[in-house]
Amino acid sequence: AYQHWTLKQAIKHASTIITVSNFTKHELMSLYGVPESKLNTVYHGYNKELFQKTDPTEAAIVADQYGLKSDNYLIYIGRLEQKKNTPGLIHAFNKIKTIPEFKDLQLALVGSPGNGYEQIATAAAISNDVKILGWVPTEHLPHLITASAAFVFPSFYEGFGIPILEALACEKLTIASNREPIREIAGQAVIYFDPNNPKNMAATIADSLKNRQTLTEKLRPSWLQTTAKFSWQKCAYATLHVLTKS
């Protein structure tokens, strides 16, 4: 209640508001009645110098340090919590494991614990192939993405979704929730599933892995086109423009 009140007060007294996506802008308009004239969308960027496809041999060495078999694991990066649908991803992963060709597949969960982490830890403990890596050094992330079979982002709710840009920048097949802000950022560059339906999530991920080579060749141009639209430099210039005109 207090957070809701303080947000309403901040909105009331702000001369201009910057949102990270059009989705977030429309949320503020519909939930708080903020006039559109007060809102400005400025997209986030990502670390272009760090997040690039790395050497496969070096990537495999880093993956091995975390007990991961190169080219044979799914990776998720983000908070490990209910809102991010981490339990749903584990549930879908267990379904995928029942398919003979994926019986040795692993799942790497990278990120700090969040709300509902106890449930996630319990679910992960059932399978030796679910690896909770927790926080890892940032410089390891491009290697872990590069060495993976695919990047999966099952979140229920996002304002933007920087990890998706990071995965696409590493030229990795990305499979994500069919949510408006993710579609706004990634467009046709990723494969989508229903985050409320673990069966659909599992089937989409499995089909994507089976057709990985074809999908990678088809989607790679869109990965580069998508990531080219976002940078912290563009974000800084757009923010400056908003501040100087307000």
Side-chain angles (χ1 to χ4, degrees):
Y2 175 74
Q3 187 178 28
H4 179 69
W5 180 84
T6 54
L7 179 58
K8 288 183 72 173
Q9 291 301 307
I11 290 170
K12 179 181 177 181
H13 295 289
S15 58
T16 187
I17 298 171
I18 293 174
T19 62
V20 297
S21 63
N22 289 324
F23 169 78
T24 304
K25 180 173 83 171
H26 294 139
E27 287 268 277
L28 287 175
M29 291 168 62
S30 63
L31 295 175
Y32 293 95
V34 183
E36 188 170 11
S37 59
K38 205 174 186 177
L39 296 163
N40 299 269
T41 297
V42 175
Y43 290 127
H44 281 323
Y46 71 98
N47 190 332
K48 288 180 176 285
E49 288 71 36
L50 179 66
F51 286 94
Q52 302 174 24
K53 183 178 181 180
T54 64
D55 175 71
T57 302
E58 189 175 350
I61 292 171
V62 173
D64 184 64
Q65 293 174 11
Y66 293 94
L68 298 168
K69 294 170 281 189
S70 179
D71 207 40
N72 197 40
Y73 64 90
L74 303 172
I75 186 168
Y76 160 79
I77 299 172
R79 287 189 71 81
L80 307 180
E81 61 182 354
Q82 296 280 1
K83 187 182 79 171
K84 300 292 187 179
N85 198 18
T86 317
L89 175 56
I90 295 173
H91 186 35
F93 174 73
N94 288 333
K95 287 181 177 294
I96 296 169
K97 292 280 288 180
T98 64
I99 303 172
E101 66 184 284
F102 299 127
K103 62 181 176 64
D104 295 324
L105 189 69
Q106 296 174 299
L107 172 62
L109 302 174
V110 181
S112 302
N115 184 45
Y117 177 75
E118 295 78 11
Q119 178 189 348
I120 293 164
T122 300
I126 296 172
S127 171
N128 291 330
D129 289 324
V130 178
K131 308 288 186 181
I132 297 182
L133 307 190
W135 180 90
V136 304
T138 307
E139 61 269 21
H140 285 182
L141 295 179
H143 295 304
L144 291 174
I145 295 171
T146 297
S148 70
F151 178 83
V152 184
F153 201 70
S155 184
F156 284 127
Y157 189 89
E158 288 295 321
F160 187 80
I162 292 175
I164 289 178
L165 292 181
E166 295 170 345
L168 295 178
C170 293
E171 301 181 37
K172 185 55 56 179
L173 181 64
T174 298
I175 313 161
S177 295
N178 187 2
R179 285 291 188 259
E180 187 178 334
I182 297 176
R183 282 194 170 276
E184 180 181 342
I185 302 309
Q188 299 303 308
V190 311
I191 308 297
Y192 294 101
F193 55 75
D194 178 0
N196 291 303
N197 187 337
K199 186 176 180 180
N200 175 257
M201 192 194 307
T204 303
I205 294 171
D207 288 344
S208 298
L209 291 177
K210 289 175 182 177
N211 298 288
R212 183 160 47 128
Q213 186 172 351
T214 302
L215 288 171
T216 297
E217 292 171 1
K218 175 186 174 183
L219 294 174
R220 181 176 277 118
S222 67
W223 298 342
L224 304 177
Q225 290 166 9
T226 297
T227 53
K229 299 175 186 175
F230 304 94
S231 73
W232 288 122
Q233 186 177 42
K234 289 180 179 179
C235 179
Y237 282 137
T239 302
L240 181 62
H241 176 71
V242 171
L243 296 177
T244 52
K245 77 171 186 176
S246 60

